[in-house]
Every structure is written in C-alpha cells, then in structure tokens.
Amino acid sequence: MVNNFIFENATKVYFGKGCVKEYLYCCLKNYGENIMLAYGSGSVKKNGIYDEVVSILHSLGKHITEFSGIMPNPTYQKVLEGAKTAKENNIDFILGVGGGSVMDCCKAISMAAVYKGDIWKDFWERAGVIDFAPLPLGVIVTAAGTGSECNGGAVITNEAKKVKTGRDYPNCNPKFAFIDPIYTYSLPIKQMISGGFDILSHIMETYFSEPNEDNVSDYIAEGLMKSVIHNLREAVKNPQNYTARSNLLWASTMAENRVIKLGKKCDFQCHQMEHQLGAYTDCNHGFGLAVLQPVYYGHIYEYGLPKFVRFAENVWSIQRNDRSDKELAKAGVEALADFIKELGLPVTLKELGMKERKHLKSIAYSCNISQGSYKKMTHDEILEIFNECFE
Ligand code: NZQ
Ligand code: ZN
C-alpha cells in the first residue's frame, strides 16, 4: 500500500547556467535591505561566485553582513554564532552560498535568530512544531549531494553532546534555490564523488523500504539511481561535462525534495550511523556512507529480498542466468561495492581516518534506530557492522 501523504515544496528553483545573473536581482528585490551573506571557508572567493553575488547585492543597494567560516559538518556553536550576528545586525534575509553544510547551518540560524527558546532542545533533540516564521532564507548551491536546497532539513553537530542530527521542518525550506551546474566545476574531484555517492545513498535509503508493491516512487528511484551512476562516471572522466554536472545536481535535488519519499516508509539507518560516526570523528559525509552502505546491505538484503533482486536487475542490469533470488540480490550489493571501489571511495573506517576501535561501541550505542528498515537494527548489530567495516 502506498502510505498516505500531504505534499508541498515551498522552494522555488532556478536551474541552469547563468541563473544567478538573470534572476537573483528580482528574487531579492522584495526582501528587506539587511542581507546576511553566509558562506564557508572561502572557495566562493576563489571561483568568482562571491564577486558575482556581491555585485548583484550592491546593485540592489542592499546592506551586506558577512558570515563566513561555516565548516563542513556545521556545529551548533556556529549556528549560535550566526544567530547572534543576525540579531545584532537586524538581518532581514539570509543568503547562503555553498554546499550542504552552508545551507544547513543557514537554516538553523534562520530559526535560532527568531526563536526565544533553545532550538537544540526543542527541534533537534525531539521533533517539535514550528509555529513561528524563521528568518527568510535563500540559497545558491555550489555542490551536488545533500539536496538541502529543497527541503527543511538541517544536519547539525552538537559537539558537546556528541550528536549529529537533523529533521525536515517544512518551515525551513529556503524561499528560493539557485542551481547553476557551472558553479560546481571548481569542487575538488574527491568532494564531487563524495556528493555523488550521497545522492545515490539518499535514493537507496528511500528505495529499500516498504511498500514493496508496485509504487511510483520505486520506478522514479531506479531511474534516478541509473542517472547518478552514469553521470558520476561521466563527471569523473570530464569534470567540466555540463550535462553530467547538471544531471548530478538535479538528481541531488530530486532525491531530497521529498518527492521520492512520498508514500514510502524510508530507511535512512545508514545515515543515522554515518551521522554518529561524524559526531565522533568529523568524517566526510559521503565517504562515511560509502564505507557503511554495502556492509549494511549485506546484513539486511535477505529481509527485503524482492527489492534487492529488482535493484540488481533494474539498476545494475545483472542477468539472472541460473542464480537464485538470494544470489541475484547479493550480486546487486556486490555491484554497489564495486562501484564504490571504482570511484576510489574509502571502504574501511581505517581509510576514513579512524585509528582504533575504542569508540566504536559508544558510537554504535548512540545511533538512532530507524523504524523503516527491512530489518530493524539493534545497537549490537550496528556495532557488528562497524567492526566489519573497520579494516
Ligand atoms: O567551505 P567551502 O569554501 O564552502 O568549501 C566546501 C567544503 O570544503 C567545498 N565546496 C563546496 N562547493 C564548492 C567547494 N569547493 C570548491 N568549489 C565549490 N563549488 O566542499 C567542501 C564540503 O562542503 P560541504 O557543504 O560540507 O559538503 P556537502 O554538500 O556534502 O554537505 C555535507 C553536510 O550536509 C549534511 C551532511 O551531514 C554534512 O554535514 N547533510 C545534509 C542533508 C540535508 N540537509 O538534507 C542531508 C544529507 O544526508 C547530509 O546529512
Ligand atoms: Zn546524505
């Protein structure tokens, strides 16, 4: 049965070469004059995006307050710092320019800048209800991967509590998202691959969950997965392949704009595990997923056998020949593992930078357990997976 749903996506998307030059002016015209321009560690200054955006803000006569230094895996401290800056400067609108980390941090700032209570306690620690308007936010995407531009999710690391988590609050959807494939050309190849794998991971985490009966989402997911696999290969061969970079960006948005999740339970157990690895080690998100995902699927494929058979046949085009369902499903998981190796992604926690197993138990026991998995994990099984991934 396709589960019931209500669907809305409040983000207006401007996609394609030159979109910022063409439309940013009109988009910002109707917002107040105090703009917080938020970005990361400075790549936007090297690749020219900063200059392009600032000149548009100047032509609009906006007053710019800069908020820079948003780190990969943004911290709660950084969110609080941003909220302070926004309040002190009477910010009317936040413009985030960057990848998932910048976008997520900006969403959290947009809430923290107006909420009177403790946002961590009320919206990250437990599911809350946002009955106030966060500061309006718009984003300019510079990396394909998280799909954060079209959802209300903000994944934040609380360093003091050793927790990395986020929830999708529709009120935090950006008002608009600019997605120009050329803006992603300067991304280091390793990061492009990391983001590419993150896209694939989001789609798999949705696909490998009930319902198993015929449903629209699974067909879209198969098309998206094939597109990501093909275009990531093309982008590795030639990072300036506009078609490949465009498809990666749009697949990344499509994977996380809630469309493929409609009617699905969704798993996201691997994301829960990776987020906690991140909370303890600050590892790269896509790299962490690459280490965990095939091993996790090795543990659960028998519980969702028909879907894993479909994955092998429809996504990896593996012929059945005389294989049993179990053998075919396993071949699909192996194809995924081979693709990870082909991309040069890390395959062990050691390669991810972990030196000893000491913290694995604490990390495993701090993971949220997904309710939508084919096989509901226990913390001991998660620990087993971590140990299997270690070296
Ligand atoms: O700091 P800057 O200068 O921006 O450099 C970044 C950073 O070093 C660089 N970069 C980005 N665009 C670039 C560029 N360098 C050169 N040229 C460009 N065009 O890439 C590095 C990584 O950036 P980051 O934003 O951290 O990467 P990503 O987009 O993968 O975001 C990862 C974060 O998003 C969270 C992850 O957990 C992680 O914290 N996620 C957010 C989700 C969401 N909101 O829906 C879902 C995801 O599952 C994920 O959890
Ligand atoms: Zn992800």
Side-chain angles (χ1 to χ4, degrees):
M1 192 187 87
V2 176
N3 295 316
N4 296 6
F5 61 80
I6 296 173
F7 175 62
E8 181 181 276
N9 192 305
T11 304
K12 183 162 182 174
V13 173
Y14 295 82
F15 188 96
K17 198 189 291 185
C19 60
V20 169
K21 248 190 194 149
E22 200 166 347
Y23 299 109
L24 183 63
Y25 185 96
C26 303
C27 279
L28 283 175
K29 218 169 39 185
N30 300 325
Y31 289 101
E33 72 171 39
N34 289 328
I35 307 280
M36 180 158 120
L37 178 60
Y39 53 94
S41 64
S43 62
V44 289
K45 290 204 167 165
K46 289 188 204 128
N47 57 23
I49 300 174
Y50 173 91
D51 289 340
E52 192 157 302
V53 172
V54 165
S55 79
I56 294 166
L57 293 176
H58 282 157
S59 66
L60 280 159
K62 301 285 186 191
H63 180 265
I64 305 172
T65 299
E66 295 210 11
F67 183 67
S68 61
I70 298 174
M71 63 292 273
N73 302 328
T75 63
Y76 185 48
Q77 275 313 310
K78 194 69 187 172
V79 172
L80 297 180
E81 193 191 312
K84 189 165 172 271
T85 306
K87 282 189 221 165
E88 283 171 359
N89 293 280
N90 294 318
I91 293 299
D92 299 306
F93 191 89
I94 303 174
L95 183 61
V97 189
S101 296
V102 168
M103 294 190 273
D104 285 9
C105 191
C106 288
K107 289 181 201 172
I109 293 170
S110 78
M111 284 174 74
V114 293
Y115 188 63
K116 302 276 179 275
D118 176 339
I119 63 155
W120 185 267
K121 206 162 128 259
D122 294 343
F123 302 105
W124 269 257
E125 214 152 72
R126 61 179 171 82
V129 175
I130 301 184
D131 55 3
F132 60 92
L135 271 186
L137 157 76
V139 297
I140 298 175
V141 183
T142 65
T146 65
S148 177
E149 60 276 8
C150 265
N151 63 45
V155 179
I156 303 296
T157 300
N158 188 318
E159 289 177 299
K161 292 183 190 287
K162 283 204 182 306
V163 173
K164 181 181 180 190
T165 190
R167 297 174 200 276
D168 185 359
Y169 289 115
N171 286 29
C172 287
N173 263 65
K175 301 289 176 210
F176 57 74
F178 282 87
I179 310 177
D180 183 338
I182 309 271
Y183 280 14
T184 66
Y185 282 4
S186 56
L187 195 65
I189 302 285
K190 273 189 154 186
Q191 188 57 40
M192 176 188 84
I193 294 171
S194 163
F197 189 76
D198 191 22
I199 309 171
L200 191 60
S201 171
H202 295 153
I203 307 166
M204 291 190 293
E205 296 254 48
T206 306
Y207 181 73
F208 289 119
S209 71
E210 289 176 4
N212 296 324
E213 300 98 319
D214 205 76
N215 69 87
V216 169
S217 172
D218 287 346
Y219 291 108
I220 303 176
E222 286 170 0
L224 285 173
M225 285 188 273
K226 282 161 71 166
S227 167
V228 173
I229 293 161
H230 172 73
N231 287 293
L232 193 49
R233 283 183 169 136
E234 292 301 306
V236 167
K237 272 190 252 163
N238 174 14
Q240 307 228 336
N241 178 332
Y242 184 78
T243 303
R245 299 307 284 254
S246 306
N247 282 319
L248 287 174
L249 268 169
W250 188 231
S252 137
T253 308
M254 278 296 295
E256 278 295 319
N257 63 2
R258 306 192 190 102
V259 167
I260 63 167
K261 295 182 183 178
L262 301 175
K264 296 284 295 184
K265 275 194 173 168
C266 296
D267 183 350
F268 283 84
Q269 184 62 63
C270 258
H271 268 69
Q272 299 294 347
M273 298 192 290
E274 192 289 326
H275 284 165
Q276 278 314 99
L277 274 180
Y280 277 73
T281 68
D282 199 27
C283 64
N284 176 290
H285 178 59
F287 291 176
L289 291 168
V291 171
L292 296 172
Q293 211 126 8
V295 179
Y296 171 64
Y297 288 151
H299 276 245
I300 68 156
Y301 75 93
E302 289 181 71
Y303 298 85
L305 203 53
K307 192 65 64 64
F308 278 93
V309 167
R310 254 184 90 163
F311 180 64
E313 290 182 320
N314 296 353
V315 178
W316 299 104
S317 307
I318 300 171
Q319 303 293 315
R320 178 178 277 273
N321 298 329
D322 52 0
R323 288 184 178 96
S324 66
D325 277 359
K326 207 174 141 181
E327 285 164 345
L328 192 52
K330 213 169 163 210
V333 177
E334 280 160 8
L336 172 68
D338 289 344
F339 182 58
I340 289 168
K341 283 186 202 131
E342 173 193 326
L343 293 170
L345 284 160
V347 294
T348 64
L349 293 177
K350 267 200 163 167
E351 284 174 32
L352 206 58
M354 199 178 265
K355 293 197 170 54
E356 42 190 10
R357 295 176 193 254
K358 201 166 77 182
H359 298 298
L360 286 184
K361 192 166 180 192
S362 314
I363 303 174
Y365 273 74
S366 70
C367 291
N368 288 327
I369 302 294
S370 162
Q371 303 301 313
S373 317
Y374 279 133
K375 157 100 178 66
K376 195 171 159 192
M377 289 283 110
T378 64
H379 288 114
D380 283 327
E381 280 171 295
I382 293 176
L383 179 57
E384 210 176 297
I385 291 170
F386 283 163
N387 271 313
E388 227 174 284
C389 290
F390 189 73
E391 56 191 336

